Amino acid sequence: MERAVLHAVPLGQMEVFQALQRLHMTIFSQSVSPCGKFLAAGNNYGQIAIFSLSAALSSEAKEESKKPMVTFQAHDGPVYSMVSTDRHLLSAGDGEVKAWLWAEILKKGCKELWRRQPPYRTSLEVPEINALLLVPKENSLILAGGDCQLHSMDLETGTFMRALRGHTDYIHCLALRERSPEVLSGGEDGAVRLWDLRTAKEVQTIEVYKHEECSRPHNGRWIGCLATDSDWMVCGGGPALTLWHLRSSTPTTVFPMRAPQKHVTFYQDLILSAGQGRCVNQWQLSGELKAQVPGSSPGLLSLSLNQQPAAPECKVLTAAGNSCRVDVFTNLGYRAFSLSF
Amino acid sequence: MSSESSKKRKPKVIRSDGAPSEGKRNRSETEQEGKYYSEEAEVDLRDPGRDYELYKYTCQELQRLMAEIQDLKSRGGKDAAVEIEERRIRSCVHFMTLKKLNRLAHIRLKKGRDQTHEAKQKVDAYHLQLQNLLYEVMHLQKEITKCLEFKSKHEEIDLVSLEEFYKEAPPDISKAEVTMGDPHQQTLARLDWELEQRKRLAEKYRESLSNKEKILKEIEVKKEYLSSLQPRLNSIMQASLPVQEYLFMPFDQAHKQYETARHLPPPLYVLFVQATAYGQACDKTLSVAIEGSVDEAKALFKPPEDSQDDESDSDAEEEQTTKRRRPTLGVQLDDKRKEMLKRHPLSVMLDLKCKDDSVLHLTFYYLMNLNIMTVKAKVTTATELITPISAGDLLSPDSVLSCLYPGDHGKKTPNPANQYQFDKVGILTLRDYVLDLGHPYLWVQKLGGLHFPKEQPQHTVIADHSLSASHMETTMKLLKTRVQSRLALHKQFASLEHGIVPVTSDCQYLFPAKVVSRLVKWVTIAHEDYMELHFTKDIVETGLAGDTNLYYMALVERGTAKLQAAVVLNPGYSSIPPIFQLCLNWKGEKTNNNDDNIRAMESEVNVCYKELCGPRPSHQLLTNQLQRLCVLLDVYLETESHDDSVEGPKEFPQEKMCLRLFRGPSRMKPFKYNHPQGFFSHR
């Protein structure tokens, strides 16, 4: 809430339930529209909300502008991951990926364009899809999650081309190394694996927890976040947030962040990370903490940079996590306002 | 005088004629005609003039003789005596003549008088006759005029008009040929006809009178019959009382109640009528009664002058007593307040009987000056309840009906007009008086048909039956649910305070067979204390922690792990779920701020409460939530990943069957229990 409401509002059953829902909401994923004006956010109840960034950022913005334009039930389970192509919003949650047309998404009663489920091995439990990655050169989508495999789906035909096996525990995050092209995946097993898409083979493995500089056994060995800059990779999670040189598989910088990080990204000459704790952390490549900007959620799970060329006025950083709010940073120095479910 | 004396003397001396004395009259009458000397007759013969000359001569002679005598006497002489004697004899003769003349004069006079008298008598007689005749003339004239003026009664009668007469009258009466010419006959005929008609009508009249009498008598008879019926009906009713009781149809009682109900003020009357109707139609467990003094209610309508007079009398009396006794301003104000908050002497009592034989007693009062209704509640159970310490507020009359509808806390008066009244007597809010007067909940006003719209304040709010009827069923159901849920909580609290979470057998499927974590403490905490806790800030900010809620603290333990749960119990339990906020002390303090899994545990009990409701009417919600909390703590502790750097085995070996330990970007633990397979998975 923007204001603290201390007096008791006469709440009926419906209102109490909705208030509790919002209190326990977690926003897992965000995605910016191709035009750059809208932001999609997916939460743990399977809902997707579309916010109008342009309306919220305009000078006549009122309280309603910070509310979603539409909210719809996209999945049965939580929406862990979303990406946008130039026309579609792809969302993934419990075991399947759905596609929505950005052009249609603002209309009421919008239906998914298609939904696909990768071929799973186990039938006892439907594995979640934690990460989606677009490979523009191949026009394919890579899905990874609970079944410890990376699935590659052709976006035109919708067929699953290959499955990359190697992780021993479920996969948290994916990153694309543009030049090669290679896909990096980080998982619960504590390893970052590099895959060659053409050969469908694992080319490199970095077991982060085995390196003493960064391992933090009391947090566990899981790799929660990955980002790559072709030569460099930064990853974090249970172990400390570390910058690696990929060719040599050596950790070059360990960022002194105690809390496990859940999202990390390269931005200009900075590394932005967020995780447990309220703040969005800005790091220099040297390992120095440039700034810590507090957000409104007690823990952050996703960061999104709106760098769409079509909407330069909406160039903002949005952060979301363990609350129903999406923090908007127009300037990396402070939180401007928050959008809310 | 002399004539009189001579008259007297005359009959005595000479009477042989004329007028003898009465005694002698009859005797001498026979002798009169022949031979008496009648002086009267002489009178007629003599001439009164000559008698007068005679008289004058005689008087002269007498005078002369007297003078000679005088002379002779004075000269004296002897011859004088003879001459005197001679003259004396002559004077005596003269005297005799005088006497006679006198007599004659008298007789003449008498005769004259007699004649006059006679004439006069005649005249008088004629006069009298004349008078008589005149009088008679006058009389006759009067008679004539009277006769002329005489109006015969027949002219006063409205006879039917001539045409009608000739039309209607039978010919033997109308006799047209005779009457046409002769008005006298005509009138006579008409009068005849009139008489005829009148006779006929009189006949009819008599007949009708007799009819009327007959009918009146019949009516009397019937009236008597009916009036005799009333006591018979009464006796039947009396006789049927035992039958009524036997059949449980207390009509008599109901009738008496309706009699009393007429004295109720309108809102209470509406409530009474609607509640009785509802009780009869839908809900046999509802019973309605009227309590209070009907006499006092009747006394309210006495003319106000009486009471004012009394007041002024008592005031005067009071002033007469010492000045100290005069009421102070404060006491006066207090009295005014009491007057403003006065209750109507009658109240309506509703008893709602629930399935387990517990009864909710509701007493509804009407505050006359404020035009609002209040209610006092009491819950009695079939068996005596031992109240556990934490359940103190559950069934207290002050709070048992709080927030029956969301936000209806009953501490403020629902009538906006009351505020002005309160300002006059210095009452700040009704909250101070609710313990005494009862709570003015909004649903109570609605049941009495009183509606106080906020947007358009009305001048007079009158009781409306339809408003009451539309709210009756819902409110009754809510009341029952409320009582039953409170009683259920009461029982559960007793068990919770002993550390046992009472899970009923039909809810066992929600939990695994083995639950190791135990509830060790269950206490009630104050609202302020809840607000002070560091891990409840979210709930406070959302506005879910108001002062109408009840707050509790539960402590769940397993080994070295202690889980504190602060519970917000909304009065609308169980349709509104209790809200839990957790704080785990194990290897540091974990709350929803720093541990996603604690947040997930809260979500499991707060958001996913619908699974835990159990069979309707979902009284098991709280206990199921607590049991689930224990299960969640078990899962949390057992699935905690082992820290390789620390020596020693895990404190809590994993006993729960889990497919996966972590899932998703937040690395959630498997909190969802699957029945009947008995394993844990993720949502």
Side-chain angles (χ1 to χ4, degrees):
Chain A
M1 309 289 160
E2 298 291 335
R3 313 165 266 135
V5 176
L6 285 174
H7 60 273
V9 182
L11 297 172
Q13 187 193 16
M14 223 36 242
E15 288 92 348
V16 169
F17 182 61
Q18 280 171 355
L20 287 173
Q21 265 195 325
R22 291 165 61 104
L23 210 58
H24 293 95
M25 191 185 291
T26 308
I27 299 178
F28 283 110
S29 51
Q30 303 172 62
S31 183
V32 179
S33 65
C35 61
K37 297 209 171 79
F38 299 99
L39 179 72
N43 70 9
N44 59 331
Y45 299 120
Q47 297 166 325
I48 295 180
I50 312 290
F51 296 91
S52 170
L53 279 175
S54 48
L57 287 165
S58 75
S59 43
E60 300 108 28
K62 297 168 289 232
E63 281 302 308
E64 296 86 64
S65 326
K66 297 176 187 157
K67 291 268 161 198
M69 298 191 71
V70 295
T71 312
F72 56 93
Q73 190 75 25
H75 292 265
D76 293 329
V79 183
Y80 287 128
S81 170
M82 288 199 292
V83 285
S84 287
T85 63
D86 50 358
R87 288 194 21 236
H88 301 109
L89 172 69
L90 305 170
S91 64
D94 263 354
E96 59 183 5
V97 62
K98 293 189 185 180
W100 316 80
L101 258 182
W102 268 113
E104 305 279 318
I105 208 163
L106 287 173
K107 298 184 192 153
K108 256 191 160 13
C110 171
K111 287 233 173 288
E112 74 262 17
L113 210 55
W114 48 257
R115 63 162 91 169
R116 306 286 304 154
Q117 198 179 57
Y120 291 121
R121 284 178 301 179
T122 56
S123 54
L124 202 57
E125 194 201 25
V126 176
E128 76 280 19
I129 296 174
N130 283 326
L132 291 173
L133 189 67
L134 279 173
V135 184
K137 281 206 186 119
E138 288 189 357
N139 196 21
S140 70
L141 178 73
I142 309 219
L143 309 87
D147 68 341
C148 320
Q149 295 174 61
L150 285 87
H151 296 271
S152 169
M153 184 184 99
D154 183 78
L155 277 173
E156 263 186 54
T157 60
T159 52
F160 288 91
M161 298 178 292
R162 49 191 105 88
L164 305 169
R165 297 192 189 98
H167 276 282
T168 54
D169 210 337
Y170 75 96
I171 299 165
H172 275 274
C173 43
L174 294 171
L176 182 67
R177 199 176 176 196
E178 295 256 337
R179 259 189 281 158
S180 318
E182 278 170 8
V183 173
L184 289 89
S185 64
E188 185 72 16
D189 57 0
V192 175
R193 297 175 203 270
L194 285 85
W195 312 80
D196 188 322
L197 284 173
R198 281 169 304 192
T199 60
K201 284 215 180 350
E202 188 176 332
V203 291
Q204 197 179 354
T205 311
I206 304 173
E207 291 185 307
V208 179
Y209 65 96
K210 288 196 177 149
H211 294 253
E212 270 197 37
E213 307 95 313
C214 42
S215 90
R216 299 188 295 200
H218 57 274
N219 278 343
R221 55 169 82 160
W222 51 280
I223 303 295
C225 52
L226 261 186
T228 180
D229 194 12
S230 284
D231 292 331
W232 302 91
M233 175 199 76
V234 62
C235 68
L241 190 68
T242 330
L243 185 66
W244 295 76
H245 185 241
L246 277 173
R247 191 103 45 78
S248 53
S249 303
T250 49
T252 49
T253 329
V254 175
F255 298 96
M257 188 76 214
R258 284 188 54 203
Q261 300 297 290
K262 301 277 175 73
H263 193 112
V264 69
T265 182
F266 283 96
Y267 175 63
Q268 292 169 354
D269 57 342
L270 294 170
I271 292 176
L272 304 172
S273 78
Q276 207 173 74
R278 290 183 175 269
C279 310
V280 176
N281 309 297
Q282 297 169 30
W283 306 96
Q284 307 272 23
L285 288 174
S286 56
E288 273 171 41
L289 180 64
K290 185 180 174 208
Q292 263 189 328
V293 187
S296 67
S297 313
L300 290 169
L301 288 170
S302 85
L303 296 172
S304 169
L305 277 165
N306 184 358
Q307 288 171 316
Q308 298 289 1
E313 75 278 7
C314 297
K315 187 171 177 197
V316 291
L317 168 73
T318 50
N322 286 342
S323 72
C324 58
R325 294 178 288 277
V326 178
D327 297 328
V328 178
F329 300 82
T330 45
N331 164 331
L332 289 183
Y334 66 94
R335 175 181 76 92
F337 58 88
S338 298
L339 304 166
S340 165
F341 251 80
Chain B
M1 222 171 354
S2 64
S3 60
E4 270 188 21
S5 62
S6 73
K7 258 195 178 163
K8 265 189 192 168
R9 224 176 17 190
K10 216 172 36 170
K12 266 183 199 167
V13 172
I14 305 177
R15 248 333 155 214
S16 59
D17 59 302
S21 66
E22 270 129 297
K24 289 180 184 175
R25 217 198 199 150
N26 296 335
R27 192 160 39 99
S28 60
E29 241 172 76
T30 48
E31 296 178 301
Q32 266 177 26
E33 280 151 52
K35 43 179 177 151
Y36 61 91
Y37 172 61
S38 145
E39 212 150 22
E40 278 100 5
E42 206 182 326
V43 160
D44 294 331
L45 293 172
R46 296 169 69 113
D47 178 25
R50 283 187 63 207
D51 282 337
Y52 184 55
E53 293 297 316
L54 187 60
Y55 164 68
K56 270 202 311 192
Y57 171 74
T58 318
C59 282
Q60 271 175 346
E61 288 291 309
L62 260 177
Q63 274 173 352
R64 203 182 47 82
L65 285 172
M66 285 298 130
E68 288 177 2
I69 298 183
Q70 175 65 23
D71 277 336
L72 286 171
K73 287 207 166 174
S74 46
R75 291 191 277 166
K78 275 176 215 168
D79 3 343
V82 170
E83 278 176 34
I84 293 173
E85 193 60 39
E86 186 195 59
R87 277 188 187 86
R88 204 184 46 101
I89 296 171
R90 267 200 271 184
S91 331
C92 286
V93 171
H94 284 315
F95 273 122
M96 299 292 291
T97 322
L98 276 179
K99 276 195 174 161
K100 179 150 185 120
L101 281 174
N102 185 33
R103 270 201 312 275
L104 284 179
H106 278 108
I107 292 171
R108 274 200 195 102
L109 186 68
K110 188 170 166 263
K111 263 199 175 153
R113 272 201 187 140
D114 285 340
Q115 279 177 341
T116 323
H117 189 68
E118 250 181 70
K120 196 171 148 205
Q121 272 195 337
K122 269 197 195 143
V123 165
D124 275 343
Y126 288 138
H127 199 67
L128 206 62
Q129 269 188 350
L130 176 66
Q131 291 282 356
N132 281 343
L133 285 173
L134 276 178
Y135 181 70
E136 208 164 317
V137 162
M138 203 172 68
H139 183 253
L140 284 174
Q141 271 182 343
K142 272 196 191 155
E143 291 288 303
I144 289 169
T145 41
K146 246 206 260 177
C147 280
L148 283 177
E149 285 172 5
F150 176 68
K151 285 192 178 346
S152 165
K153 266 194 180 160
H154 84 278
E155 290 175 18
E156 291 168 9
I157 304 171
D158 275 329
L159 297 171
V160 296
S161 65
L162 268 171
E163 302 85 27
E164 257 188 73
F165 166 67
Y166 277 118
K167 245 191 289 174
E168 287 180 13
D172 57 343
I173 293 185
S174 71
K175 287 186 251 166
E177 53 305 332
V178 178
T179 53
M180 280 295 198
D182 189 355
H184 173 65
Q185 290 297 326
Q186 196 181 60
T187 321
L188 278 176
R190 284 170 79 185
L191 286 170
D192 272 338
W193 171 236
E194 188 73 24
L195 182 66
E196 192 74 34
Q197 280 190 317
R198 286 194 182 199
K199 276 193 193 149
R200 266 191 241 154
L201 289 173
E203 199 50 51
K204 266 198 222 163
Y205 173 67
R206 268 195 292 275
E207 272 174 54
S208 322
L209 262 181
S210 65
N211 261 345
K212 179 176 146 193
E213 286 298 312
K214 247 194 281 172
I215 292 174
L216 273 175
K217 282 210 184 75
E218 275 177 43
I219 290 174
E220 275 302 314
V221 166
K222 288 193 180 158
K223 269 197 189 156
E224 273 204 42
Y225 174 67
L226 280 177
S227 59
S228 77
L229 207 54
Q230 168 75 353
R232 275 184 216 218
L233 284 176
N234 276 342
S235 61
I236 291 179
M237 286 229 356
Q238 286 293 324
S240 74
L241 269 178
V243 181
Q244 281 181 32
E245 283 182 21
Y246 188 70
L247 290 176
F248 299 110
M249 291 197 297
F251 286 121
D252 225 34
Q253 226 182 10
H255 186 66
K256 279 205 199 91
Q257 272 215 332
Y258 276 113
E259 280 297 311
T260 332
R262 281 194 299 163
H263 299 287
L264 288 173
L268 283 182
Y269 182 74
V270 169
L271 171 68
F272 174 77
V273 166
Q274 293 301 323
T276 322
Y278 177 74
Q280 281 172 357
C282 312
D283 189 358
K284 297 284 179 267
T285 61
L286 171 67
S287 70
V288 187
I290 303 178
E291 284 182 351
S293 155
V294 178
D295 295 325
E296 278 185 45
K298 284 192 201 155
L300 283 176
F301 287 100
K302 255 204 318 209
E305 298 92 50
D306 291 352
S307 49
Q308 274 182 13
D309 283 341
D310 289 343
E311 257 189 50
S312 60
D313 281 343
S314 62
D315 273 320
E317 274 177 26
E318 275 202 45
E319 282 190 29
Q320 277 166 17
T321 58
T322 61
K323 276 206 174 161
R324 262 185 294 141
R325 296 258 322 269
R326 194 187 302 173
T328 60
L329 197 61
V331 174
Q332 274 178 350
L333 205 59
D334 215 27
D335 289 338
K336 279 195 204 151
R337 273 186 217 146
K338 281 206 192 102
E339 183 64 32
M340 174 150 294
L341 298 174
K342 210 161 97 162
R343 296 205 286 228
H344 193 272
L346 292 174
S347 59
V348 177
M349 182 134 144
L350 252 66
D351 285 339
L352 276 169
K353 207 161 161 200
C354 306
K355 269 183 231 153
D356 57 351
D357 283 346
S358 54
V359 185
L360 172 67
H361 303 280
L362 294 170
T363 315
F364 293 88
Y365 300 98
Y366 177 62
L367 300 183
M368 299 183 284
N369 293 317
L370 301 179
N371 195 22
I372 56 173
M373 282 169 61
T374 62
V375 67
K376 277 197 187 172
K378 199 168 91 135
V379 178
T380 59
T381 48
T383 56
E384 179 91 17
L385 279 182
I386 308 166
T387 309
I389 307 164
S390 55
D393 282 339
L394 280 183
L395 293 174
S396 83
D398 193 30
S399 63
V400 65
L401 293 180
S402 168
C403 295
L404 195 69
Y405 288 89
D408 191 3
H409 49 71
K411 292 189 187 130
K412 213 170 66 121
T413 169
N415 184 356
N418 291 153
Q419 197 53 48
Y420 304 105
Q421 293 170 291
F422 285 170
D423 288 340
K424 270 193 250 177
V425 294
I427 297 176
L428 283 174
T429 160
L430 206 55
R431 189 192 277 235
D432 308 326
Y433 301 92
V434 285
L435 278 175
D436 197 36
L437 296 173
H439 291 268
Y441 296 114
L442 288 171
W443 56 268
V444 173
Q445 316 308 322
K446 297 227 169 76
L447 284 186
L450 296 169
H451 178 51
F452 301 104
K454 287 196 181 54
E455 292 82 37
Q456 308 124 20
Q458 288 174 331
H459 287 293
T460 44
V461 179
I462 46 172
D464 179 14
H465 278 271
S466 53
L467 184 65
S468 172
S470 54
H471 283 85
M472 181 64 69
E473 189 171 358
T474 334
T475 312
M476 289 298 143
K477 292 210 169 106
L478 280 175
L479 283 169
K480 271 203 185 157
T481 326
R482 168 65 63 97
V483 170
Q484 285 177 323
S485 74
R486 290 289 167 103
L487 284 171
L489 277 179
H490 208 267
K491 253 197 291 189
Q492 289 165 357
F493 280 20
S495 182
L496 290 175
E497 279 185 2
H498 288 104
I500 303 165
V501 181
V503 180
T504 58
S505 51
D506 45 4
C507 297
Q508 275 298 343
Y509 70 93
L510 291 165
F511 314 105
K514 186 171 172 203
V515 178
V516 187
S517 307
R518 291 172 309 110
L519 175 72
V520 296
K521 198 163 80 152
W522 172 263
V523 288
T524 176
I525 58 175
H527 177 226
E528 299 76 28
D529 294 338
Y530 181 87
M531 309 271 269
E532 296 294 313
L533 291 170
H534 59 279
F535 53 94
T536 56
K537 296 273 184 291
D538 289 339
I539 296 292
V540 174
E541 272 176 31
T542 326
L544 289 167
D547 57 355
T548 51
N549 298 326
L550 300 168
Y551 298 93
Y552 301 91
M553 184 70 85
L555 189 59
V556 180
E557 279 188 3
R558 180 176 171 175
T560 56
K562 295 187 189 353
L563 180 66
Q564 277 182 307
V567 187
V568 182
L569 190 66
N570 193 294
Y573 177 84
S574 57
S575 58
I576 298 182
I579 303 173
F580 287 75
Q581 290 285 83
L582 305 172
C583 173
L584 176 65
N585 272 296
W586 182 61
K587 295 188 184 171
E589 190 182 82
K590 298 176 214 282
T591 65
N592 56 22
N593 269 338
N594 55 14
D595 190 332
D596 289 343
N597 282 304
I598 299 288
R599 201 155 174 264
M601 282 163 74
E602 285 176 357
S603 180
E604 282 285 314
V605 271
N606 290 340
V607 179
C608 307
Y609 72 93
K610 287 201 174 120
E611 316 165 338
L612 296 171
C613 279
R616 294 198 67 188
S618 55
H619 292 151
Q620 304 303 317
L621 180 55
L622 180 67
T623 46
N624 287 348
Q625 282 177 316
L626 283 169
Q627 183 75 337
R628 176 173 273 192
L629 207 59
C630 296
V631 173
L632 291 175
L633 183 63
D634 273 350
V635 171
Y636 183 97
L637 295 170
E638 289 172 17
T639 56
E640 191 68 4
S641 57
H642 188 63
D643 189 355
D644 295 325
S645 65
V646 175
E647 297 273 339
K650 272 175 84 169
E651 186 182 352
F652 305 106
Q654 181 172 341
E655 289 165 15
K656 303 279 184 288
M657 207 162 62
C658 310
L659 289 178
R660 277 171 65 178
L661 287 183
F662 300 103
R663 192 176 195 262
S666 317
R667 304 179 69 241
M668 290 287 110
K669 291 172 190 278
F671 287 124
K672 180 174 160 190
Y673 177 70
N674 294 296
H675 180 82
Q677 302 90 343
F679 66 91
F680 284 85
S681 61
H682 294 84
R683 283 200 186 265

